[in-house]
Amino acid sequence: MRPAPAIVAAMALALSGGLATAQDLARGEALFEPCKSCHSLDPAKQGMAGPHLAGLKGRVIGAAEGFDYSPAFKAARAKRITWDEARLNAYLADPDAMFKGGWMSPQGLDDEADRAAVTAFLMRGQ
């Protein structure tokens, strides 16, 4: 039985010590560009369709100041679940599978390498 692609990508990132290359980060940043229509990397920028993603690594899910989260994210916040590389990678693969009724519009990133790059970019140096 083969492990799920999200598990493989998360394991690869973990085995590499979570250290992404400059090329990985640049690719993740480029792939993140369309996400900027809903998400900011600046915690001071409020009023967007999605929460800011600054300081995402280790942050309690659904806990960004100034954003009104869906009930699914509020439930995760109440359980004190935090973002890590594996969880973010799985979320980016299928947001609704992880948080049924969440408000993320895209269906997810199908390409395993794309997810790993975006995950590395959002989790970098935080």
Side-chain angles (χ1 to χ4, degrees):
M1 181 161 102
R2 289 179 40 173
I7 301 294
V8 172
M11 287 171 51
L13 188 60
L15 290 174
S16 70
L19 300 176
T21 66
Q23 185 177 10
D24 295 333
L25 295 177
R27 183 166 179 243
E29 183 174 18
L31 289 165
F32 181 74
E33 194 62 34
C35 308
K36 289 182 178 178
S37 63
C38 294
H39 297 282
S40 174
L41 296 174
D42 178 358
K45 190 168 184 180
Q46 301 289 317
M48 298 189 78
H52 76 79
L53 301 180
L56 193 61
K57 185 175 186 174
R59 184 169 84 195
V60 173
I61 293 172
E65 297 272 332
F67 188 76
D68 183 25
Y69 286 93
S70 70
F73 276 81
K74 289 177 181 177
R77 180 178 61 211
K79 294 177 183 175
R80 307 291 301 162
I81 299 170
T82 59
W83 286 113
D84 61 22
E85 288 86 354
R87 186 167 283 118
L88 179 59
N89 192 291
Y91 178 70
L92 292 174
D94 189 353
D96 204 44
M98 183 172 281
F99 296 110
K100 191 75 174 154
W103 298 334
M104 179 101 144
S105 297
Q107 296 300 309
L109 289 169
D110 291 331
D111 185 81
E112 188 176 320
D114 287 352
R115 282 193 314 275
V118 172
T119 297
F121 172 69
L122 290 173
M123 293 287 172
R124 74 205 180 284
Q126 298 180 28

